[in-house]
Amino acid sequence: MAVDEDQTPADVADGDGHGGNYNESTPTPPAKVADEKLDGDFQGAVRALQRKRDSSHGQPTVVDTHGNQALIWLGEYDLHAYSERWDEPTAEIYVLVDQSFDESDPHWVIMAPAVTVDGRADGEIGCRNAFAEPDEGHYDKVEMVLDVSEEDSGIAFSWRWSSMNRQPERMRDLANAHSIVQYLLRLDEPEDES
C-alpha cells in the first residue's frame, strides 16, 4: 500500500520492481527483495503465485527474508467479502514460507493491522490459533511484518496447509497461497454466547 518516501508515482511506474502503471487505488508492496537474493526455484514459485493472484489487490511480492524463510506480501484483502464479522473492512495479508517450499508444511499467515472479530480483543478469534501480543509465543512473525509495513499492529495465524490437504508437493504449489488465505478469512457463524 505504500510507496517508498523517495519514490514518486513515475518511479513506481518506471520499473522499480512494482511494475504496471501507477494507480493510487491499487495497493503496492511495502518493500521488495531482489530476485538475486532468492533461491532460483523459489523465484519460479513466486511467479506462479503472481500469475494466480488478481493484481488489482496488489502484486504478491517477497518483502523480506530471514535465513531460508521468505515473507511474501499477498496484497490488500477485502475482509468483508469473506465475513462481515471482521471489525475492519480491509487488511494487508502476508505469508511466511520456506524457500524450500515443496519440502515444507507452511503455516504462517500474518495480517496487518491486527483486525479484531465481533468486537473482541486481538487474538480472540474462534477456531483460529492467533498471536497478536508481544508477550505471546510466535510474536516474532508479527514483528517481521511490522518491520516492513506502515502498520503498528499485526496478528499471526498458525494455519497449517497440511490440515487442509494442501501440503506442497511442487514449488509451483505456492500459487495456492491465496486460496489458503481465503479459507482462513471465512469465519463460522458467531459462537453461541449462552
Side-chain angles (χ1 to χ4, degrees):
M1 288 200 312
V3 174
D4 292 344
E5 290 177 19
D6 299 330
Q7 292 178 314
T8 65
D11 292 330
V12 174
D14 286 340
D16 71 344
H18 299 287
N21 293 325
Y22 181 77
N23 178 346
E24 287 189 40
S25 65
T26 301
T28 57
K32 181 175 181 358
V33 171
D35 286 344
E36 305 81 57
K37 292 187 176 187
L38 303 174
D39 175 77
D41 291 336
F42 186 70
Q43 289 176 37
V46 172
R47 284 191 290 279
L49 171 62
Q50 291 170 337
R51 285 190 298 273
K52 187 131 183 193
R53 178 86 166 115
D54 178 358
S55 65
S56 68
H57 302 283
Q59 183 71 282
T61 304
V62 178
V63 295
D64 203 0
T65 58
H66 295 271
N68 195 44
Q69 293 184 316
L71 182 64
I72 302 172
W73 179 83
L74 293 180
E76 184 175 88
Y77 279 68
D78 175 0
L79 302 179
H80 289 166
Y82 302 99
S83 176
E84 290 290 326
R85 293 179 59 207
W86 292 103
D87 293 328
E88 297 295 329
T90 62
E92 291 184 344
I93 304 288
Y94 299 77
V95 291
L96 182 65
V97 299
D98 245 30
Q99 288 191 58
S100 53
F101 185 71
D102 53 342
E103 300 170 8
S104 68
D105 184 11
H107 61 110
W108 291 106
V109 176
I110 304 103
M111 177 187 293
V115 178
T116 57
V117 172
D118 297 333
R120 296 180 180 173
D122 290 351
E124 289 184 20
I125 301 173
C127 302
R128 303 292 184 266
N129 194 4
F131 305 90
E133 298 298 324
D135 59 347
E136 294 176 329
H138 304 295
Y139 189 75
D140 58 325
K141 280 58 171 184
V142 173
E143 288 174 326
M144 289 179 196
V145 167
L146 298 182
D147 286 347
V148 298
S149 75
E150 294 181 353
E151 300 295 340
D152 57 3
S153 69
I155 187 167
F157 298 92
S158 179
W159 198 244
R160 198 169 292 280
W161 290 32
S162 63
S163 298
M164 293 172 277
N165 297 318
R166 301 299 286 274
Q167 186 165 346
E169 296 174 0
R170 317 171 287 235
M171 290 297 268
R172 68 176 178 247
D173 289 343
L174 181 59
N176 293 329
H178 175 60
S179 63
I180 298 295
V181 167
Q182 287 179 311
Y183 193 78
L184 180 143
L185 295 177
R186 291 184 184 104
L187 300 171
D188 299 331
E189 292 301 311
E191 296 153 12
D192 187 4
E193 300 290 330
S194 55

